[in-house]
Amino acid sequence: MNAPCSDPADRRYAPCPDYPPSLGESRLLTDEELNASLECTLRSWDRTTDLWLFGYGSLIWNPGLPTLEAMRSKVHGYHRGLYLWSRVNRGTPEQPGLVLALDRGGSCIGIAFRLAADGAMPHLQALWRREMAMGSYRPAWLPCVLTDGRRVDALAFVMRRDVPSYTGKLHDEVVKAVLGCASGRYGTTLDYVSRTVAALRESGMPDRALEALLERCRRGI
């Protein structure tokens, strides 16, 4: 394997034998595949009722679509973590980045966004191009408890464990290598994680495990 940040003059980064990973060939989903995935996910939606989206990562600080309401919320059965190799948005095929995903077990606090039914489809199509570009997530309707006590089914993007881009548990050395190197069409992994940590804290729901990971792994970067 090649060492990350291969410029020998750059001494900030130590080689990591487990990075970059061998992920094999990758491809973006076609417009037809994206549309089919979206239509399949929306089969239970009547197209007249406002729908909810559950944001646990970049959707918190950059939802990218107009919403009628945003409220802290919690889902059970899934937790947030850097479980997805990003070969487009926050990295490249040669030096993949990391982004957050929901994986099985535990619970997760995030922001639930209410999207108006009227005119929702163009925004959902844009969301699909952003989140489902490589089909690494499984769109799912998750029971979600809002802070005012309401219970809604919110659309969320759950990690698929059957794809090569699923990271599993990573050592700090790998995360540090990624934070030091990886950058994609939307910017660096370091910026992504830093902005998410800041947004979670500003929203009154700090993710202390993610904060601690960032603090450990960005030292010296």
Side-chain angles (χ1 to χ4, degrees), residues 158-177:
V158 175
M159 186 69 226
R160 290 178 54 190
R161 288 188 171 188
D162 62 337
V163 295
S165 50
Y166 174 57
T167 68
K169 179 66 175 177
L170 295 175
H171 295 295
D172 282 5
E173 291 77 10
V174 177
V175 177
K176 184 170 184 177

Side-chain angles (χ1 to χ4, degrees), residues 29 39-40 52 55 102 151 211:
L29 299 186
E39 290 297 332
C40 180
W52 290 87
L102 292 178
R151 296 176 180 268
E211 286 188 10

Side-chain angles (χ1 to χ4, degrees), residues 4-204:
C5 298
S6 56
D7 183 355
D10 192 341
R11 300 302 181 187
R12 292 176 297 169
Y13 312 108
C16 176
D18 296 321
Y19 182 81
S22 298
L23 300 178
E25 295 296 323
S26 63
R27 71 175 183 88
L28 298 176
L29 299 186
T30 65
D31 288 342
E32 292 76 13
E33 288 171 320
L34 288 171
N35 288 331
S37 169
L38 177 58
E39 290 297 332
C40 180
T41 302
L42 298 180
R43 281 182 301 184
S44 60
W45 179 46
D46 62 11
R47 312 287 174 124
T48 62
T49 305
D50 295 346
L51 57 82
W52 290 87
L53 307 171
F54 181 72
Y56 56 86
S58 63
L59 285 177
I60 293 174
W61 47 267
N62 182 27
L65 70 174
T67 56
L68 301 175
E69 191 176 359
M71 183 170 291
R72 279 169 48 184
S73 56
K74 188 174 187 177
V75 299
H76 292 277
Y78 296 93
H79 67 282
R80 172 176 40 232
L82 291 170
Y83 293 123
L84 176 58
W85 290 116
S86 175
R87 290 176 276 187
V88 177
N89 292 350
R90 296 289 171 171
T92 63
E94 295 74 28
Q95 290 184 328
L98 288 168
V99 293
L100 294 162
L102 292 178
D103 201 9
R104 297 194 298 264
S107 62
C108 181
I109 298 176
I111 299 291
F113 299 95
R114 182 162 62 91
L115 180 64
D118 185 26
M121 284 304 296
H123 301 299
L124 291 170
Q125 289 167 347
L127 180 66
W128 242 247
R129 288 192 294 271
R130 167 181 164 178
E131 301 293 338
M132 292 291 293
M134 299 186 69
S136 298
Y137 290 120
R138 173 177 61 84
W141 296 94
L142 302 182
C144 185
V145 182
L146 309 184
T147 53
D148 63 3
R150 283 178 292 169
R151 296 176 180 268
V152 300
D153 288 334
L155 178 59
F157 296 97
V158 175
M159 186 69 226
R160 290 178 54 190
R161 288 188 171 188
D162 62 337
V163 295
S165 50
Y166 174 57
T167 68
K169 179 66 175 177
L170 295 175
H171 295 295
D172 282 5
E173 291 77 10
V174 177
V175 177
K176 184 170 184 177
V178 174
L179 295 183
C181 296
S183 182
R185 67 178 176 183
Y186 292 149
T188 66
T189 294
L190 178 59
D191 177 67
Y192 167 86
V193 178
S194 299
R195 293 184 71 175
T196 303
V197 162
L200 287 166
R201 178 162 287 278
E202 290 166 5
S203 299

